[in-house]
Amino acid sequence: MIKPYFNRNDKKRISLKWKWTIGATLAIFLTYTIFTVAIFIGFRQIMLTEETQDVKEILVGVTNRLNGGSNALSKEKVFLSLSGNYTFSALELGEEYDQRNLVYGQSSNYQDTIFAKMNEEGVVVRVYSPTSRLLFETEPKDIPFKRTAQLLIEPIKIKNKEGLQGIAPIYSRVTQNLIGYVQVNNEMVNYHQMSEKILWAIGGIGILALVFSAVLGYLLAVNFLKPIKKITNTMNDIRKDTQSTSRIELDEGNDELTHLSIVFNDMLDRMQKYIEQQKDFVEDVSHELRTPVAIMEGHLKLLNRWGKDDPEILDESLQASLQEVERMKSLVQEMLDLSRAEQVEIHYKNEKTAIKPLVLQTINNFKLIYPDFVFNLDDDIREETDVSIYRNHLEQILVIILDNAVKYSSDRKEIHVSIASDNQNVDIAIQDFGEGMTQEDTERIFNRFYRVDKARSRYKGGNGLGLAIAKELLTGYKGTIFVESVLNHGSIFRIKVPIYFKKIEE
Ligand code: ADP
């Protein structure tokens, strides 16, 4: 059997609050991580490109410095050409340096930059003869060398870290012969230092972001769950006492949860009203049935005692009992009608009825049944008009009101019916000149089982359900009904039914 939720004592249950907190924290933190990792990778790529560019510039710069002669490079030549500059004693370079710079269109600033780059930490520049003999190195280091036919830059591992190695052949500008090689090894010290710094920064900010997102997630969860807590409290109140008037407290907001609370409160109101109505109905019905049952019981007892031998009592009691059975039958039928009238909205949504023929036919029927009555019809509707209501239901409403008009008429046996319409509704008025009722009664006669004079109404065969059925039906079709009445002078029942279709004459 499934345990009711409120009885579950599941110790492992994680509350929604913590689920949301963890969820929000992870979401915020994950977003941060993805962004920073993407930025970090992009940044490293840019730095790597710069480092590669530096290696290339050194290779090209040194090549240009050494390729002026026609013979293979010698230690002295390389030393003379590079070491002076390498230590930045520009004066030692003299005329040759300036001429070369003019020839190759490179400013001394450019050369300065090259030598500055050669001088950077972790950068080693070496020059080799065409036979791979080491002629010059900026720093003594054990570095492998391989010959290449073209400028080549490739990633290598230096001290277990990423590094770059560039090798370029030096061809004489005069003879185009190979006169040596230049090699650049770059440990990318800057690159590694920057990467490390950025990683630390990302890590530090990451921890802050984690704390921040956890706090933010918690606050968000608490805030989100506040209305849910209120809903749960109200539900608990109602669970303990179905009659409780406890409702969800509404706050200022206008979000989905506020909307849910409004709908929930409304549902509770309706449900309680419905339960109340059902209770009243059962009480009313039992009360209404008690009288005929008591009458029948009385007669049956009478029959039991004396009726068997007395044909007069026998006949009278049987007649009276049959009458009560008839009354109960009509009561049951009317209760059924009333309960069906409550469903109209769902089952008869798109029904329509031509108003004029129906009113005319109903009045004609009444003329036949009550020949001593005068029925007048005042018809103000010129065009064919359909109303949004199922034919039998409109007929039922008219019969209930006309029946009452006949039932509660006194000396003046006259009934006036008028029909008129505006753009939206058809108005039907049914007037009698009978006993009428007080203002107080006009407000109550549409309630179930309400009768102005119980005994008289009962004598006339009324159960007090007719007008309740008429009102329920009209409400279902978005129509209205109300009454104007003057005691001892008569009543006018006014009905409004929405128009379905109106053919306008040209
Ligand atoms: P009933 O079956 O008793 O007529 P209704 O619901 O049709 O039940 O009417 C409720 C009560 O309203 C009636 O008992 C009667 O007292 C009063 N009533 C209805 N129609 C009229 C009328 N035309 N003139 C005076 N009283 C009326």
Side-chain angles (χ1 to χ4, degrees):
M1 206 181 84
I2 300 168
K3 268 202 275 175
Y5 180 77
F6 44 85
N7 277 351
R8 286 181 192 174
N9 245 342
D10 199 347
K11 288 204 180 78
K12 277 185 199 145
R13 207 187 98 205
I14 302 174
S15 77
L16 205 54
K17 184 169 75 184
W18 287 112
K19 277 186 198 162
W20 277 14
T21 306
I22 295 167
T25 309
L26 284 181
I28 298 171
F29 189 64
L30 211 69
T31 316
Y32 166 81
T33 311
I34 290 169
F35 268 102
T36 45
V37 166
I39 291 170
F40 180 64
I41 291 173
F43 195 74
R44 269 168 72 105
Q45 202 54 48
I46 292 169
M47 288 204 299
L48 193 66
T49 314
E50 263 177 24
E51 295 283 354
T52 312
Q53 194 59 33
D54 283 354
V55 170
K56 196 173 172 189
E57 273 177 29
I58 297 172
L59 286 176
V60 173
V62 172
T63 304
N64 286 343
R65 194 94 174 128
L66 299 177
N67 64 1
S70 48
N71 298 329
L73 294 169
S74 65
K75 270 189 182 182
E76 294 72 25
K77 174 124 200 285
V78 176
F79 186 75
L80 265 175
S81 302
L82 291 181
S83 68
N85 295 323
Y86 179 63
T87 51
F88 298 106
S89 50
L91 284 173
E92 281 178 36
L93 296 171
E95 219 173 289
E96 198 190 356
Y97 172 78
D98 291 330
Q99 270 172 9
R100 193 174 297 116
N101 282 323
L102 283 173
V103 171
Y104 293 101
Q106 291 162 339
S107 69
S108 57
N109 272 347
Y110 170 75
Q111 287 294 351
D112 283 353
T113 321
I114 297 293
F115 289 117
K117 281 179 178 165
M118 284 169 68
N119 218 1
E120 264 172 24
E121 199 190 341
V123 175
V124 178
V125 181
R126 284 176 155 198
V127 179
Y128 296 88
S129 71
T131 54
S132 307
R133 193 163 57 88
L134 181 63
L135 303 175
F136 173 87
E137 64 181 345
T138 53
E139 221 179 283
K141 275 236 166 95
D142 189 20
I143 299 167
F145 171 72
K146 66 173 183 221
R147 280 185 277 190
T148 101
Q150 284 162 347
L151 188 147
L152 171 83
I153 299 171
E154 58 187 7
I156 51 159
K157 283 255 174 254
I158 304 171
K159 297 183 204 154
N160 271 335
K161 278 186 177 172
E162 284 169 82
L164 283 174
Q165 184 174 73
I167 302 171
I170 304 170
Y171 293 102
S172 157
R173 268 201 323 271
V174 186
T175 63
Q176 310 300 325
N177 288 334
L178 181 74
I179 55 171
Y181 293 95
V182 54
Q183 180 189 28
V184 176
N185 259 41
N186 186 356
E187 283 178 24
M188 303 201 291
V189 177
N190 250 345
Y191 169 86
H192 290 299
Q193 271 174 358
M194 275 307 264
S195 294
E196 209 171 302
K197 273 186 200 161
I198 291 170
L199 267 184
W200 274 106
I202 286 177
I205 298 171
I207 291 169
L208 278 180
L210 191 67
V211 174
F212 174 74
S213 54
V215 172
L216 197 71
Y218 180 80
L219 291 178
L220 279 177
V222 169
N223 202 35
F224 275 144
L225 289 169
K226 227 190 272 167
I228 293 184
K229 184 117 190 84
K230 285 186 197 164
I231 295 175
T232 315
N233 289 344
T234 309
M235 281 176 164
N236 261 330
D237 288 349
I238 306 277
R239 185 168 58 82
K240 281 183 206 140
D241 172 17
T242 44
Q243 299 300 311
S244 163
T245 50
S246 167
R247 294 291 180 268
I248 301 163
E249 223 180 281
L250 298 175
D251 47 26
E252 295 282 290
N254 188 22
D255 55 17
E256 286 83 350
L257 285 173
T258 316
H259 189 67
L260 174 75
S261 305
I262 294 171
V263 173
F264 187 75
N265 280 348
D266 185 53
M267 190 195 73
L268 282 178
D269 287 344
R270 280 175 189 229
M271 264 172 50
Q272 279 183 348
K273 199 173 134 207
Y274 189 69
I275 292 169
E276 208 60 40
Q277 276 177 354
Q278 292 297 315
K279 225 174 85 194
D280 289 351
F281 190 64
V282 172
E283 274 172 20
D284 289 346
V285 170
S286 331
H287 192 256
E288 291 301 318
L289 285 172
R290 204 177 294 150
T291 320
V293 170
I295 295 174
M296 279 172 67
E297 193 188 18
H299 282 291
L300 288 174
K301 277 183 181 163
L302 202 67
L303 278 179
N304 200 23
R305 253 183 263 159
W306 299 293
K308 280 175 268 179
D309 312 317
D310 187 337
E312 210 176 302
I313 292 181
L314 182 70
D315 186 55
E316 195 195 315
S317 292
L318 280 178
Q319 284 309 320
S321 299
L322 274 175
Q323 203 182 341
E324 290 309 311
V325 168
E326 205 55 47
R327 192 181 298 285
M328 282 203 283
K329 232 170 84 185
S330 82
L331 181 67
V332 169
Q333 182 57 48
E334 284 188 353
M335 285 189 321
L336 207 64
D337 285 349
L338 183 64
S339 123
R340 283 186 187 147
E342 285 164 10
Q343 314 270 314
V344 154
E345 224 170 327
I346 310 160
H347 299 299
Y348 298 90
K349 245 193 240 158
N350 298 314
E351 294 288 341
K352 57 172 182 167
T353 303
I355 186 77
K356 281 161 62 128
L358 179 75
V359 172
L360 212 63
Q361 195 197 326
T362 315
I363 291 177
N364 285 338
N365 291 345
F366 267 80
K367 279 181 184 167
L368 273 179
I369 310 168
Y370 303 103
D372 51 334
F373 271 81
V374 176
F375 291 91
N376 293 321
L377 174 62
D378 182 3
D379 178 4
D380 268 356
I381 300 179
R382 295 281 147 260
E383 312 88 25
E384 254 178 56
T385 307
D386 286 349
V387 279
S388 297
I389 186 166
Y390 175 49
R391 188 191 181 284
N392 291 4
H393 284 155
L394 183 57
E395 189 179 1
Q396 194 178 1
I397 295 165
L398 293 176
V399 167
I400 289 170
I401 297 168
L402 284 169
D403 237 358
N404 282 346
V406 170
K407 256 197 298 188
Y408 302 106
S409 276
S410 1
D411 302 336
R412 192 171 160 190
K413 295 184 185 309
E414 217 177 293
I415 290 161
H416 288 185
V417 179
S418 72
I419 50 175
S421 76
D422 58 22
N423 282 336
Q424 275 143 20
N425 297 295
V426 162
D427 296 294
I428 309 170
I430 298 168
Q431 181 176 18
D432 65 66
F433 303 91
E435 53 193 64
M437 66 193 95
T438 60
Q439 176 67 32
E440 215 183 346
D441 286 329
T442 57
E443 283 155 23
R444 295 198 186 141
I445 53 168
F446 297 100
N447 294 345
R448 282 176 320 206
F449 299 111
Y450 184 79
R451 281 155 286 184
V452 174
D453 181 339
K454 273 215 168 197
R456 265 191 78 185
S457 172
R458 188 177 151 71
Y459 160 73
K460 291 185 178 185
N463 293 313
L465 283 177
L467 289 177
I469 295 171
K471 179 156 186 164
E472 197 64 55
L473 283 173
L474 280 163
T475 310
Y477 288 110
K478 312 228 167 354
T480 57
I481 179 169
F482 74 98
V483 62
E484 294 160 17
S485 189
V486 179
L487 193 62
N488 299 324
H489 283 86
S491 319
I492 307 177
F493 282 82
R494 294 191 187 279
I495 300 172
K496 261 189 204 300
V497 195
I499 289 176
Y500 182 88
F501 167 72
K502 194 172 177 184
K503 203 169 136 195
I504 298 168
E505 277 178 15
E506 274 139 57

